[in-house]
């Protein structure tokens, strides 16, 4: 155990979460089993070994899936409020273990401890939402055209839901899906990221203890671990009517095609290329805060991270200078030290992608305003710490058109009016999050209109990053079209059924059709 791990008592956090460092693997509940090879987890914070988890084999997966499918048959017959009570107890455990789980998220993924705590808070919030939802799984009633008939719709549990999540939010995105799916009556099989396996095991253990206490059928919360091959087991499995996948657009297209071949459903949360538009009427102070956090928070590894800053020519130099000045105040280092703003990238592959992106923007004619680079020396031994960079660029640059999961902010100028800015913002294939900074009501309303932002999230006077669970989360175009979390996102985890009841002694047909015998 490294000096950082000792200082911040990572061992105590693992102990509080019930995690052993060795021989963990797939799970259908309390039992952990696997015959696969070990996946070792190293912290990007200091490069230290944390623990290892066994990968799920095809035989392991079959056991998990079969157990989940059988468990669902019983779970779907529990009342929704009874399922909600189990989620409430799970939520109580998350509240109790918020600090150690947040610490593990920070240490294994590399985001700041405050962001780690915030991620666990998202889990708590979605559980609160789900418990309330368990008494509000409503349908509609409709008037029938036939006398003596009643029509209504109801929602039934869908089945076994497959959840594939990414390293950048190693626990929250799982909970967005499972908390809702559980109260809807579904079982869940979760493949967490192989880059953050211990956080997945921690969450599974918490759920397993609560579920065992409440005699929940085995398999309702299941965990599988490993690389893309494990994901393929899930996407090809006809027992899983829904696959919820978070990751790159490339990955999402593969998942979508595979699941579509068997006529399954997908919920896709894919790449973002998010922009903030800064108008002449913007509050510059708030703009700087929103843009800097959006660009460097989680070391630029959020799907909602701010990638582009589109500034009106009249305030371009003022905003540019203020942003550059703010970057000089950013403190980079151990994310468990709450004095620091930015931690490391997830691994050295991410560092390589970051350096390639900086080189590419130079080759395309961009102007580097804040130099990037890899940090070395004491405190940076993992080799995963990089400097947040800013480059003046054009929207049509190839590198600007693609998402780089790193703290690189591209700034550019727009002329004339908000319509020109909208063309730039919408001129990328991704459509997740967007924002406008303005005190002009007309500009704000235009931004939110059908002609305005084409993203699933459109914010006014806040940044692109930091969604609340009350609203549906997701985006359009290459972002995949999925919606998770709040609003009516619960409906994708259920199947809709339309019912018509005839309470007369006659059998009239719809549309007035006559069929007499």
């Amino acid at each position: 155990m490294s000096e950082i791990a000792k200082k911040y008592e990572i061992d105590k956090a693992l102990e509080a979460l019930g995690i052993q460092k060795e021989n963990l693997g797939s799970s259908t509940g309390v039992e952990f089993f696997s015959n696969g090879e070990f996946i070792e987890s190293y912290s990007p914070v200091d490069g230290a070994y944390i623990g290892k988890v066994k990968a799920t084999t095809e035989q392991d997966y079959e056991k998990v899936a079969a157990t989940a499918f059988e468990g669902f048959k019983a779970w779907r017959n529990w009342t929704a409020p009874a399922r909600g009570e189990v989620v409430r107890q799970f939520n109580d455990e998350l509240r109790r273990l918020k600090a150690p789980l947040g610490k593990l998220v920070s240490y294994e993924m590399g985001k700041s401890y405050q962001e780690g705590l915030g991620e666990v808070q998202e889990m708590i919030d979605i559980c609160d939402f789900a418990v309330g939802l368990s008494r509000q799984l409503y349908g509609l009633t409709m008037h029938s055209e036939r006398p003596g008939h009643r029509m209504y719709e109801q929602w039934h549990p869908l089945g076994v839901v497959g959840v594939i999540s990414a390293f950048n939010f190693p626990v929250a995105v799982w909970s967005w899906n499972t908390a809702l799916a559980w109260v809807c009556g579904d079982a869940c099989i979760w493949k967490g990221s192989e880059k953050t396996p211990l956080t997945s095991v921690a969450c599974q253990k918490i759920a397993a203890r609560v579920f065992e206490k409440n005699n929940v059928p085995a398999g309702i919360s299941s965990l599988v671990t490993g690389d893309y091959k494990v994901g393929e087991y899930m996407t090809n499995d006809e027992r899983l009517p829904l696959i919820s996948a978070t990751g790159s657009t490339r990955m999402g297209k593969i998942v979508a095609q595979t699941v579509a071949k068997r006529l399954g459903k997908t919920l896709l949360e894919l790449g973002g290329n998010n922009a903030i538009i800064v108008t002449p009427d913007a509050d510059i102070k708030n703009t700087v805060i929103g843009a800097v956090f959006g660009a460097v928070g989680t070391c630029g590894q959020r799907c909602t991270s701010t990638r582009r800053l589109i500034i009106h020519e009249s305030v371009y130099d003022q905003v540019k200078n203020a942003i550059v000045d703010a970057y000089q105040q950013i403190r980079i280092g151990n994310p468990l030290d709450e004095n620091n703003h930015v931690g490391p990238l997830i691994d050295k592959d991410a560092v390589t992608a970051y350096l390639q992106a900086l080189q590419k923007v130079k080759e395309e004619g961009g102007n580097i305003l804040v130099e990037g680079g890899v940090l070395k020396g004491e405190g940076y031994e993992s080799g995963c710490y990089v400097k947040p960079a800013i480059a003046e660029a054009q929207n049509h640059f190839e590198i600007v058109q693609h998402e780089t999961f790193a703290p690189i902010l591209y700034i550019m100028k727009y002329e004339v009016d908000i319509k020109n800015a909208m063309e730039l913002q919408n001129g990328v294939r991704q459509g997740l999050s967007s924002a406008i900074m303005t005190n002009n009501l007309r500009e704000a309303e235009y931004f939110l209109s059908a002609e305005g932002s084409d993203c699933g999230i459109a914010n006014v006077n806040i940044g692109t990053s930091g969604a609340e669970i009350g609203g549906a989360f997701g985006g359009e175009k290459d972002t995949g079209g999925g919606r998770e979390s709040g609003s009516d996102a619960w409906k994708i985890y259920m199947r809709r059924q339309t019912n018509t009841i005839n309470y007369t002694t006659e059998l009239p047909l719809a549309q007035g059709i006559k069929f007499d015998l």
Side-chain angles (χ1 to χ4, degrees), residues 123-199:
M123 302 175 75
I124 292 167
D125 293 344
I126 195 63
C127 286
D128 281 343
F129 184 93
V131 172
L133 177 66
S134 69
R135 294 181 181 269
Q136 299 182 72
L137 297 174
Y138 53 83
L140 299 173
T141 60
M142 290 78 74
H143 289 281
S144 173
E145 66 186 54
R146 290 167 284 182
H149 286 61
R150 180 167 70 89
M151 292 180 65
Y152 71 99
E153 70 176 23
Q154 58 180 329
W155 296 82
H156 292 303
L158 184 64
V160 182
V161 174
V163 180
I164 300 172
S165 63
F167 73 86
N168 60 331
F169 279 85
V171 296
V173 171
W174 167 71
S175 69
W176 288 0
N177 286 272
T178 51
L180 300 189
W182 287 338
V183 298
C184 288
D186 300 327
C188 292
I189 299 175
W190 177 29
K191 179 196 155 336
S193 172
E194 63 271 27
K195 296 182 180 182
T196 52
L198 294 183
T199 54

Side-chain angles (χ1 to χ4, degrees), residues 307-309 357 361 391 393 399-400 402 404 408-412:
R307 309 290 177 199
R308 298 173 295 144
L309 201 58
V361 74
I399 191 61
V400 176
H402 291 85
T404 300
I408 302 175
L409 178 64
Y410 303 112
I411 68 171
M412 59 198 70

Side-chain angles (χ1 to χ4, degrees), residues 281-302:
D281 293 310
D283 181 315
I284 303 302
K285 178 181 177 182
N286 287 343
T287 296
V288 171
I289 294 171
V292 174
F293 176 74
V296 308
T298 323
C299 202
Q301 296 171 112
R302 293 186 176 210

